[in-house]
Short mmCIF file of all heavy atoms in Angstrom, two decimals:
data_model
loop_
_atom_site.label_atom_id
_atom_site.label_comp_id
_atom_site.label_asym_id
_atom_site.label_seq_id
_atom_site.Cartn_x
_atom_site.Cartn_y
_atom_site.Cartn_z
N PHE A 99 25.68 44.99 -21.18
CA PHE A 99 26.81 45.91 -21.37
C PHE A 99 26.95 46.67 -20.05
O PHE A 99 26.53 47.81 -19.91
CB PHE A 99 26.55 46.86 -22.55
CG PHE A 99 26.74 46.20 -23.89
CD1 PHE A 99 25.78 45.37 -24.43
CD2 PHE A 99 27.91 46.40 -24.60
CE1 PHE A 99 25.96 44.75 -25.65
CE2 PHE A 99 28.11 45.78 -25.84
CZ PHE A 99 27.14 44.95 -26.36
N LEU A 100 27.55 45.98 -19.06
CA LEU A 100 27.45 46.45 -17.67
C LEU A 100 28.17 47.76 -17.43
O LEU A 100 27.87 48.48 -16.48
CB LEU A 100 28.00 45.37 -16.73
CG LEU A 100 27.20 44.05 -16.80
CD1 LEU A 100 27.80 43.02 -15.88
CD2 LEU A 100 25.75 44.28 -16.45
N GLU A 101 29.14 48.09 -18.29
CA GLU A 101 29.86 49.36 -18.08
C GLU A 101 28.89 50.53 -18.23
O GLU A 101 29.15 51.62 -17.75
CB GLU A 101 31.00 49.47 -19.10
CG GLU A 101 32.03 50.49 -18.71
CD GLU A 101 33.30 50.37 -19.53
OE1 GLU A 101 33.89 49.28 -19.59
OE2 GLU A 101 33.70 51.39 -20.12
N HIS A 102 27.76 50.29 -18.92
CA HIS A 102 26.82 51.38 -19.18
C HIS A 102 25.57 51.26 -18.33
O HIS A 102 24.52 51.80 -18.67
CB HIS A 102 26.46 51.41 -20.67
CG HIS A 102 27.66 51.64 -21.53
ND1 HIS A 102 28.19 52.88 -21.74
CD2 HIS A 102 28.49 50.76 -22.16
CE1 HIS A 102 29.28 52.77 -22.49
NE2 HIS A 102 29.47 51.50 -22.75
N LEU A 103 25.71 50.55 -17.21
CA LEU A 103 24.57 50.33 -16.31
C LEU A 103 24.04 51.65 -15.78
O LEU A 103 22.83 51.84 -15.63
CB LEU A 103 25.03 49.44 -15.15
CG LEU A 103 23.97 48.67 -14.39
CD1 LEU A 103 23.14 47.83 -15.36
CD2 LEU A 103 24.61 47.74 -13.37
N GLN A 104 24.95 52.59 -15.51
CA GLN A 104 24.56 53.87 -14.89
C GLN A 104 24.17 54.94 -15.90
O GLN A 104 23.87 56.06 -15.51
CB GLN A 104 25.73 54.41 -14.03
CG GLN A 104 26.27 53.44 -13.00
CD GLN A 104 25.22 53.01 -12.00
OE1 GLN A 104 24.34 53.79 -11.65
NE2 GLN A 104 25.28 51.76 -11.56
N GLU A 105 24.25 54.61 -17.22
CA GLU A 105 23.98 55.65 -18.23
C GLU A 105 22.55 56.18 -18.06
O GLU A 105 21.61 55.40 -17.98
CB GLU A 105 24.10 55.09 -19.66
CG GLU A 105 25.49 54.66 -20.04
CD GLU A 105 26.34 55.79 -20.61
OE1 GLU A 105 25.84 56.56 -21.45
OE2 GLU A 105 27.50 55.89 -20.19
N PRO A 106 22.38 57.51 -18.03
CA PRO A 106 21.01 58.03 -17.98
C PRO A 106 20.31 57.78 -19.32
O PRO A 106 20.96 57.58 -20.33
CB PRO A 106 21.22 59.54 -17.75
CG PRO A 106 22.60 59.81 -18.26
CD PRO A 106 23.39 58.54 -18.09
N GLU A 107 18.97 57.83 -19.29
CA GLU A 107 18.21 57.66 -20.53
C GLU A 107 18.58 58.80 -21.48
O GLU A 107 18.63 59.96 -21.06
CB GLU A 107 16.71 57.73 -20.24
CG GLU A 107 16.13 56.42 -19.73
CD GLU A 107 16.08 55.37 -20.83
OE1 GLU A 107 15.37 55.57 -21.83
OE2 GLU A 107 16.77 54.34 -20.68
N PRO A 108 18.85 58.51 -22.77
CA PRO A 108 19.20 59.61 -23.68
C PRO A 108 18.02 60.55 -23.89
O PRO A 108 16.89 60.10 -24.08
CB PRO A 108 19.57 58.88 -24.98
CG PRO A 108 18.95 57.55 -24.88
CD PRO A 108 18.83 57.21 -23.43
N ILE A 109 18.29 61.85 -23.82
CA ILE A 109 17.23 62.84 -24.06
C ILE A 109 17.19 63.12 -25.56
O ILE A 109 18.24 63.37 -26.16
CB ILE A 109 17.54 64.15 -23.29
CG1 ILE A 109 17.69 63.84 -21.80
CG2 ILE A 109 16.48 65.20 -23.53
CD1 ILE A 109 18.41 64.90 -21.02
N PRO A 110 15.99 63.05 -26.20
CA PRO A 110 15.94 63.27 -27.65
C PRO A 110 16.57 64.61 -28.02
O PRO A 110 16.35 65.61 -27.34
CB PRO A 110 14.44 63.27 -27.95
CG PRO A 110 13.82 62.53 -26.82
CD PRO A 110 14.69 62.76 -25.62
N GLY A 111 17.38 64.58 -29.08
CA GLY A 111 17.99 65.83 -29.56
C GLY A 111 19.29 66.18 -28.87
O GLY A 111 20.03 67.03 -29.33
N GLN A 112 19.56 65.51 -27.74
CA GLN A 112 20.82 65.83 -27.05
C GLN A 112 21.89 64.81 -27.45
O GLN A 112 21.59 63.63 -27.59
CB GLN A 112 20.60 65.78 -25.54
CG GLN A 112 21.77 66.35 -24.76
CD GLN A 112 21.50 66.33 -23.26
OE1 GLN A 112 20.43 65.97 -22.83
NE2 GLN A 112 22.49 66.72 -22.49
N ALA A 113 23.12 65.28 -27.63
CA ALA A 113 24.19 64.35 -28.06
C ALA A 113 24.48 63.36 -26.95
O ALA A 113 24.49 63.72 -25.77
CB ALA A 113 25.44 65.16 -28.38
N CYS A 114 24.70 62.10 -27.33
CA CYS A 114 25.09 61.10 -26.32
C CYS A 114 26.08 60.14 -26.97
O CYS A 114 26.24 60.14 -28.20
CB CYS A 114 23.88 60.34 -25.81
SG CYS A 114 23.08 59.35 -27.08
N SER A 115 26.78 59.37 -26.15
CA SER A 115 27.72 58.39 -26.70
C SER A 115 26.94 57.30 -27.43
O SER A 115 25.84 56.93 -27.01
CB SER A 115 28.52 57.75 -25.57
OG SER A 115 29.23 58.75 -24.89
N THR A 116 27.53 56.79 -28.52
CA THR A 116 26.81 55.78 -29.30
C THR A 116 27.69 54.57 -29.59
O THR A 116 28.93 54.67 -29.57
CB THR A 116 26.35 56.34 -30.66
OG1 THR A 116 27.51 56.83 -31.36
CG2 THR A 116 25.35 57.47 -30.50
N PHE A 117 27.03 53.44 -29.84
CA PHE A 117 27.71 52.23 -30.31
C PHE A 117 27.44 52.09 -31.81
O PHE A 117 26.32 52.33 -32.26
CB PHE A 117 27.11 50.98 -29.65
CG PHE A 117 27.58 50.74 -28.25
CD1 PHE A 117 26.68 50.33 -27.26
CD2 PHE A 117 28.92 50.88 -27.90
CE1 PHE A 117 27.11 50.07 -25.97
CE2 PHE A 117 29.37 50.62 -26.61
CZ PHE A 117 28.46 50.22 -25.64
N THR A 118 28.45 51.68 -32.56
CA THR A 118 28.25 51.34 -33.98
C THR A 118 28.89 49.99 -34.22
O THR A 118 30.00 49.73 -33.72
CB THR A 118 28.92 52.38 -34.90
OG1 THR A 118 28.56 53.67 -34.47
CG2 THR A 118 28.49 52.20 -36.34
N LEU A 119 28.20 49.15 -34.96
CA LEU A 119 28.72 47.82 -35.27
C LEU A 119 29.21 47.82 -36.71
O LEU A 119 28.47 48.23 -37.61
CB LEU A 119 27.59 46.81 -35.10
CG LEU A 119 27.95 45.36 -34.84
CD1 LEU A 119 28.84 45.23 -33.61
CD2 LEU A 119 26.69 44.54 -34.63
N CYS A 120 30.46 47.42 -36.94
CA CYS A 120 31.00 47.36 -38.31
C CYS A 120 31.23 45.89 -38.66
O CYS A 120 31.76 45.14 -37.84
CB CYS A 120 32.33 48.10 -38.40
SG CYS A 120 32.21 49.79 -37.84
N LEU A 121 30.84 45.50 -39.88
CA LEU A 121 30.99 44.09 -40.28
C LEU A 121 31.81 43.99 -41.55
O LEU A 121 31.78 44.89 -42.40
CB LEU A 121 29.61 43.47 -40.58
CG LEU A 121 28.82 42.91 -39.40
CD1 LEU A 121 28.29 44.06 -38.58
CD2 LEU A 121 27.65 42.07 -39.89
N HIS A 122 32.54 42.88 -41.66
CA HIS A 122 33.23 42.59 -42.91
C HIS A 122 33.07 41.11 -43.21
O HIS A 122 33.29 40.27 -42.34
CB HIS A 122 34.72 42.93 -42.78
CG HIS A 122 35.54 42.34 -43.90
ND1 HIS A 122 36.66 41.57 -43.68
CD2 HIS A 122 35.38 42.39 -45.24
CE1 HIS A 122 37.15 41.17 -44.84
NE2 HIS A 122 36.41 41.66 -45.80
N PHE A 123 32.64 40.80 -44.44
CA PHE A 123 32.52 39.40 -44.83
C PHE A 123 32.83 39.28 -46.32
O PHE A 123 32.16 39.90 -47.14
CB PHE A 123 31.11 38.89 -44.55
CG PHE A 123 30.87 37.46 -44.98
CD1 PHE A 123 31.54 36.42 -44.36
CD2 PHE A 123 30.00 37.17 -46.01
CE1 PHE A 123 31.32 35.10 -44.76
CE2 PHE A 123 29.78 35.86 -46.42
CZ PHE A 123 30.45 34.82 -45.79
N ARG A 124 33.85 38.54 -46.66
CA ARG A 124 34.19 38.27 -48.06
C ARG A 124 34.12 39.52 -48.95
O ARG A 124 33.32 39.59 -49.88
CB ARG A 124 33.28 37.19 -48.62
CG ARG A 124 33.54 35.84 -47.98
CD ARG A 124 32.60 34.78 -48.48
NE ARG A 124 32.95 34.30 -49.81
CZ ARG A 124 33.96 33.49 -50.09
NH1 ARG A 124 34.77 33.10 -49.14
NH2 ARG A 124 34.19 33.11 -51.31
N ASN A 125 34.93 40.51 -48.59
CA ASN A 125 35.05 41.73 -49.39
C ASN A 125 33.83 42.64 -49.36
O ASN A 125 33.68 43.51 -50.21
CB ASN A 125 35.38 41.39 -50.85
CG ASN A 125 36.74 41.93 -51.21
OD1 ASN A 125 37.50 42.34 -50.33
ND2 ASN A 125 37.06 41.97 -52.47
N GLN A 126 32.93 42.45 -48.41
CA GLN A 126 31.77 43.34 -48.28
C GLN A 126 31.85 43.98 -46.90
O GLN A 126 32.15 43.31 -45.93
CB GLN A 126 30.46 42.55 -48.40
CG GLN A 126 30.37 41.73 -49.68
CD GLN A 126 29.43 40.54 -49.51
OE1 GLN A 126 28.27 40.72 -49.18
NE2 GLN A 126 29.93 39.35 -49.71
#
Side-chain angles (χ1 to χ4, degrees):
F99 283 79
L100 298 178
E101 198 167 306
H102 299 279
L103 202 54
Q104 306 301 326
E105 294 274 315
E107 278 289 297
I109 302 161
Q112 191 178 356
C114 64
S115 300
T116 57
F117 281 138
T118 312
L119 203 57
C120 305
L121 275 72
H122 166 233
F123 177 66
R124 292 177 76 74
N125 244 12
Q126 305 155 58

